[in-house]
Amino acid sequence: MHYQIVRYILGMVMKVEAVLLLLPFLAGLVYREPQAFSFLIMAIVSAVAAFAMTFKKPAKFVFYPREAIVSVSLSWILISIVGALPFVINGDIPSFTNALFETISGFTTTGASILEDVEALSHASLFWRSFTHWIGGMGVIVFMLAIVPMTGGYNAQLMRAESPGPTFGKLVPKVKESAKILYLIYFGMTLVQIVLLLIAKMPLFDALCMTFGSAGTGGFGVRNTSAADYTMLQQAILTIFMILFGVNFNAYYYLYLGKDKKQAFEMEEVRWYLIIIAISTMLIAVNVRSYFSSAFEAFHHAFFQVGSIITTTGYSTVDFDVWPTLSKGILVLLMFIGACAGSTGGGLKVSRVIILWKSVRQQVSQYLHPKSVSVIKVDSHTQEKSVVTGVLVYFALYAFLFVGSMFVLMLDGRQDLLTDFTAVTATFNNIGPGLAGVGPAKNFNALSVLSKYTLMFDMLAGRLELYPMLMLFVPSVWKKH
């Protein structure tokens, strides 16, 4: 392990966060709130710390996967700790544990909250809380690579360690250019959504924060009722953009190029993602018809909740915890499936589910026809054995960590089984609300400190695809080269 390289990367990340902390400070100044100065204080502290950490550049930038993994993991932990301190300083969230939970939930785009009265927060804190979604949606390291002048072959290692999905692919040969293209698309879609919400007469502050939440598929709202207070048109815009941000961004890149538009529409993962949304919406709309005054209203809310849950955003227009068992069961399944790889969404990812299904089908076929030779293809491309094996191992590791987290929460003994199960499901898959004690009309504040730190780990592990966080506990990772 080259500790100087890790220190330098963490310093660069701190520089970025120092600049980003100025935005909630400015938002607070607009509303003349004294809480705004807590963000200025942390921006200054971050800048000073960043200068000290990057003052001396490492003599040799020999960058191995372990440096990338540790740098990414520690970066997410560090920005969460620094990002939580303004809440503690300004008194909006006095408890450090609760502030850290809220901030990790923000950066990992989970949207699970400990707040009982969201509207009691200052505008500065509300802005930062939602803006963490936008930062974490595409990735902290990707953001850094896009704006900070850094050179060297290690960029790909950093991006690979943070990228969601079973495989990592650069849009263009240079990683820095890939990061810029991703954020150009991301920023453009964000701007379009803000404009459409303003046209639909949503207040500017709400439009900004709700867009940050749907763009990062995070789910922090600025009202206690989440998205329930907004008009059906505003909710429809949120639904469409949540689904759009859950699409693999490679598809948008193909559309951006123009000449590869056909390839964008032929992506198998995107096709199945949309099919799952359509089928789930229709099933739930029929199942909850009696809960609403018209079939259209039932379809509207079913479409919103399906889009919100499968993209792991977590906004809600109704308390879906009171829906029939079939509808709640479908939503729980969608929590596990998640959005597309290469999107801002969480969950297992549709691509992994596709590969898993095809692996099962292949094994059944070979059992019936032992001499047959078959391969697994996605988008007409044969998947390497290492990719298929990686997906299967990921599922196994996912199951072990899920059961382990469940055990900790059950050992704590404060909540019922459904609450514990959906609390882990909602945080591990970066969704936000669960059912029962952590349903859309409730929050995570009643959980113990032990449970909260367990779920914080789950949020980080889920966002970083498990391995980066687990590698921190492997002794050999920390040995010097």
Side-chain angles (χ1 to χ4, degrees), residues 107-126:
F107 277 119
T108 59
T109 72
T110 303
S113 180
I114 50 79
L115 295 173
E116 297 180 358
D117 185 4
V118 172
E119 295 175 27
L121 266 63
S122 62
H123 287 85
S125 292
L126 285 174

Side-chain angles (χ1 to χ4, degrees), residues 27-90:
L29 287 184
V30 171
Y31 289 93
R32 300 180 180 180
E33 296 171 333
Q35 292 91 336
F37 290 96
S38 62
F39 294 94
L40 177 62
I41 291 170
M42 287 312 303
I44 295 171
V45 171
S46 298
V48 172
F51 178 78
M53 295 166 74
T54 58
F55 180 74
K56 184 179 180 181
K57 190 173 182 179
K60 292 183 179 180
F61 244 108
V62 182
F63 215 80
Y64 296 100
R66 69 173 68 179
E67 281 82 16
I69 290 171
V70 170
S71 295
V72 168
S73 302
L74 294 182
S75 291
W76 281 75
I77 294 172
L78 182 60
I79 63 168
S80 296
I81 293 173
V82 173
L85 290 175
F87 293 132
V88 179
I89 294 171
N90 64 30

Side-chain angles (χ1 to χ4, degrees), residues 158-232:
L158 287 170
M159 202 165 174
R160 183 179 289 107
E162 191 180 54
S163 298
T167 59
F168 164 74
K170 296 181 288 185
L171 301 180
V172 293
K174 293 183 178 180
V175 173
K176 188 172 181 63
E177 292 304 313
S178 290
K180 284 183 177 179
I181 290 172
L182 283 172
Y183 261 96
L184 178 64
I185 297 171
Y186 190 46
F187 182 79
M189 291 174 63
T190 301
L191 190 61
V192 170
Q193 183 181 351
I194 292 172
V195 171
L196 289 177
L197 288 175
L198 290 176
I199 292 173
K201 297 183 179 180
M202 182 181 286
L204 175 60
F205 186 80
D206 290 48
L208 288 170
C209 293
M210 295 300 285
T211 296
F212 293 151
S214 51
T217 59
F220 277 156
V222 293
R223 302 190 184 188
N224 292 328
T225 55
S226 187
D229 286 349
Y230 301 117
T231 66
M232 292 187 76

Side-chain angles (χ1 to χ4, degrees), residues 281-296:
T281 299
M282 295 309 299
L283 287 174
I284 292 177
V286 172
N287 191 231
V288 301
R289 171 64 185 86
S290 61
Y291 286 69
F292 300 97
S293 59
S294 67
F296 175 77

Side-chain angles (χ1 to χ4, degrees), residues 25 43 49 64 95 132 208 213 222 237 251 310 313 319 344 358-359 362 429:
F25 166 65
Y64 296 100
S95 165
T132 54
L208 288 170
V222 293
I237 293 171
I310 194 171
T313 304
D319 183 5
T344 62
K358 291 187 176 184
S359 297
Q362 182 192 51
N429 295 304

